[in-house]
């Protein structure tokens, strides 16, 4: 019988977006991918990163989730507005329902297995939709006096401040007022059932949330994986604490 090597370290699945190859001999074929800073963040947190490519059935999502101790929902494109009961407005960007459903099925699978979830950027939006919430389709055209949320600066640079609730996962190690980077034009609107807001920017945009019952669900609107790649200690600590949470939960 073949022996399976086990490190004892938590396995953290990275839910990967997909996109068509735009040039070369395989043009038009789809590839799945995870930006390497996600891998770096998990490794710095003493976890084992595992890429999770898109699968279509809920059964296959459950099988993927079952080999993980935690799930990270990575960033990416907009979410299909029909999944939260709206019609697309002019600033709604590219979306892919097959990918959106994969994220939602993975959230449900992880929840049913008691596996902690960390949603990042698109991930916070997918969490909110999976819990029955809605999204702001375009911040600049829908939110008066909004601060800059789609920065033209290196990804590790902070862009604006957020205010964090002290009694939250983030509040356990981040200052009440913290700088974060920002690369999005959509955001959480109506909050999903069973979620609570744990951070906002000064214009009222929801920047972090977590669930109020069941296995831990933590979600942020910024990109801590990019900030930790630039050496930000708070972002490194976020990944370390999430990996520790996954180890405790298993």
């Amino acid at each position: 019988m073949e022996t399976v090597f086990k490190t004892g370290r938590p396995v953290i699945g990275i839910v990967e977006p997909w996109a068509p190859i735009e040039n070369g001999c395989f043009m038009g074929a789809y590839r799945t991918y995870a930006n390497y800073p996600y891998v770096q963040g998990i490794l710095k947190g003493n976890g084992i990163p595992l890429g999770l490519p898109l699968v279509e059935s809920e059964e296959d999502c459950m099988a993927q989730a079952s080999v993980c101790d935690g799930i990270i929902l990575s960033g990416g494109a907009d979410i299909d507005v029909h999944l939260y009961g709206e019609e697309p407005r002019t600033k709604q960007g590219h979306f892919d329902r097959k990918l959106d459903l994969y994220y939602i099925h993975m959230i449900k699978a992880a929840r049913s297995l008691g596996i902690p979830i960390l949603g990042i950027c698109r991930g916070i939006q997918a969490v909110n939709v999976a819990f029955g919430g809605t999204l702001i389709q375009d911040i600049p055209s829908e939110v008066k006096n909004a601060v800059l949320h789609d920065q033209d600066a290196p990804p590790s640079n902070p862009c604006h401040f957020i205010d964090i609730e002290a009694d939250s996962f983030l509040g356990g190690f981040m200052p009440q007022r913290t700088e974060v980077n920002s690369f999005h034009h959509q955001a959480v609107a109506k909050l999903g059932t069973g979620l609570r807001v744990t951070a906002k920017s000064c214009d009222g945009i929801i920047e972090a949330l977590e669930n109020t019952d069941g296995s831990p669900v933590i979600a942020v609107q910024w990109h801590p994986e990019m900030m930790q790649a630039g050496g930000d200690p708070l972002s490194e600590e976020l990944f370390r604490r999430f990996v520790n949470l996954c180890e405790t939960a298993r």
Side-chain angles (χ1 to χ4, degrees):
M1 179 181 294
E2 184 178 349
T3 301
V4 177
F5 177 72
K6 294 184 181 293
T7 68
R9 294 155 61 190
V11 174
I12 311 299
I14 307 168
V15 176
E16 300 177 339
W18 70 343
I21 298 171
E22 296 182 353
N23 50 53
C25 57
F26 298 120
M27 185 171 61
Y30 274 73
R31 63 179 176 185
T32 65
Y33 60 92
N35 292 333
Y36 194 68
Y38 291 107
V39 175
Q40 288 178 301
I42 294 167
L43 290 173
K44 288 178 181 177
N46 201 38
I48 299 295
L50 178 67
L52 301 177
L54 184 148
V55 294
E56 294 188 50
S57 76
E58 293 187 57
E59 181 181 2
D60 288 341
C61 283
M62 184 69 73
Q64 283 185 332
S66 68
V67 301
C68 299
D69 300 301
I71 297 291
I72 289 180
L73 305 168
S74 62
D78 292 351
I79 291 176
D80 186 344
V81 299
H82 291 162
L83 295 177
Y84 53 92
E86 294 186 6
E87 288 294 312
R89 294 187 283 278
T90 56
K91 299 294 185 179
Q92 166 73 18
H94 171 79
F95 58 88
D96 183 328
R97 184 176 297 186
K98 191 175 290 187
L99 181 63
D100 298 337
L101 290 175
Y102 175 50
Y103 272 59
I104 290 170
H105 292 159
M106 186 58 72
I107 292 165
K108 292 178 179 178
R111 291 275 285 159
S112 68
L113 293 169
I115 298 169
I117 295 169
L118 173 60
I120 293 176
C121 198
R122 181 186 206 274
I124 190 175
Q125 297 164 15
V127 165
N128 194 54
V129 171
F131 278 70
T134 65
L135 302 178
I136 298 169
Q137 290 188 32
D138 181 61
I139 293 170
S141 61
E142 296 180 36
V143 179
K144 188 176 181 180
N145 298 321
V147 301
L148 179 65
H149 286 278
D150 191 6
Q151 70 189 63
D152 183 13
S156 61
N157 282 28
C159 177
H160 60 73
F161 284 96
I162 60 171
D163 293 308
I164 298 172
E165 296 294 323
D167 64 340
S168 65
F169 174 83
L170 297 175
F173 63 96
M174 285 186 167
Q176 183 268 331
R177 193 161 175 78
T178 296
E179 284 184 291
V180 298
N181 60 8
S182 197
F183 297 93
H184 63 105
H185 80 112
Q186 298 198 326
V188 171
K190 176 187 172 185
L191 198 63
T193 303
L195 299 174
R196 63 178 286 237
V197 176
T198 58
K200 286 185 177 182
S201 51
C202 65
D203 54 10
I205 295 297
I206 294 171
E207 292 282 342
L209 54 78
E210 58 190 52
N211 63 321
T212 57
D213 61 354
S215 56
V217 178
I218 300 127
V220 301
Q221 185 57 75
W222 69 95
H223 281 270
E225 82 285 0
M226 293 299 182
M227 294 187 72
Q228 67 77 32
D232 177 56
L234 288 177
S235 298
E236 290 185 14
E237 182 67 6
L238 191 159
F239 280 96
R240 188 185 71 79
R241 293 206 177 206
F242 179 70
V243 172
N244 285 347
L245 188 64
C246 297
E247 186 170 23
T248 302
R250 65 179 177 173

